[in-house]
Amino acid sequence: MIITTQRSSIAQAIDATLTALGWIGFFYLFTKGVASIIDGTYDSPRIAILDPFLPTATTLAAYLLVAAFNALLLVLWARYRKLFFKDLRRVRAPAPIDDASVAQHFRLSCNQLREIQDSRVTVIYHAPDGAIAHLETDQLRMQRADDDKAYVAVKVA
């Protein structure tokens, strides 16, 4: 499976049981159909025109019945999940993040963050450890991220 989620042991047991029953039913119908074709015995009245198509039609009818039953189970399961677990589906808006926490996360001052937000172009240089080492904005000044008191006049377009 591509996506795996943790399930309760009861749900896993139900899933395994239904899957096993499905495979058992499939093999039973398959072997019964193959055996009846080999023996040439059918448990239905003979109609000369339909004789070649009767095993196929019976098998298709059984498959359609199983598919309809599976669809019914799926719809009932979806209704159950929708009814009892509607609180889990509710999309919650993320908590608003203020500028102070963003600046603290990136180890910037509030003034540096405001300058980055106001600029149209920002070039960020990183130190080898991944921290912000240097900032260049389209404003008339350039400042170091680790020392917000040092300003150098540079025009960056």
Side-chain angles (χ1 to χ4, degrees):
M1 293 188 346
I2 294 174
I3 299 173
T4 58
T5 57
Q6 291 184 355
R7 295 184 294 174
S8 68
S9 58
I10 294 173
Q12 197 167 6
I14 291 172
D15 184 32
T17 304
L18 290 176
T19 303
L21 287 174
W23 279 108
I24 290 169
F26 170 74
F27 285 123
Y28 172 75
L29 290 173
F30 183 76
T31 55
K32 186 169 170 85
V34 169
S36 68
I37 289 172
I38 292 173
D39 293 343
T41 58
Y42 303 109
D43 297 333
S44 61
R46 302 254 178 204
I47 301 174
I49 298 171
L50 296 179
D51 273 347
F53 303 109
L54 203 53
T56 305
T58 306
T59 305
L60 287 177
Y63 287 161
L64 288 175
L65 184 64
V66 169
F69 181 70
N70 284 340
L72 176 68
L73 284 178
L74 185 65
V75 168
L76 290 175
W77 179 253
R79 297 279 177 149
Y80 167 77
R81 298 281 296 177
K82 185 177 181 181
L83 181 65
F84 290 108
F85 298 104
K86 58 186 169 189
D87 292 337
L88 295 178
R89 292 185 310 126
R90 187 178 312 160
V91 177
R92 294 183 182 106
I97 301 174
D98 60 340
D99 287 346
S101 62
V102 172
Q104 181 183 5
H105 177 75
F106 290 106
R107 296 185 188 124
L108 298 170
S109 68
C110 289
N111 291 337
Q112 289 172 320
L113 182 63
R114 222 170 286 116
E115 183 176 330
I116 291 170
Q117 290 171 341
D118 292 342
S119 70
R120 294 177 61 202
V121 177
T122 301
V123 180
I124 301 174
Y125 297 96
H126 294 277
D129 65 348
I132 297 175
H134 193 70
L135 295 172
E136 291 179 10
T137 62
D138 60 350
Q139 307 295 326
L140 289 178
R141 61 182 184 269
M142 180 176 69
Q143 59 190 26
R144 295 178 51 87
D146 56 356
D147 184 16
D148 59 355
K149 295 180 182 76
Y151 294 99
V152 179
V154 172
K155 172 120 178 147
V156 178

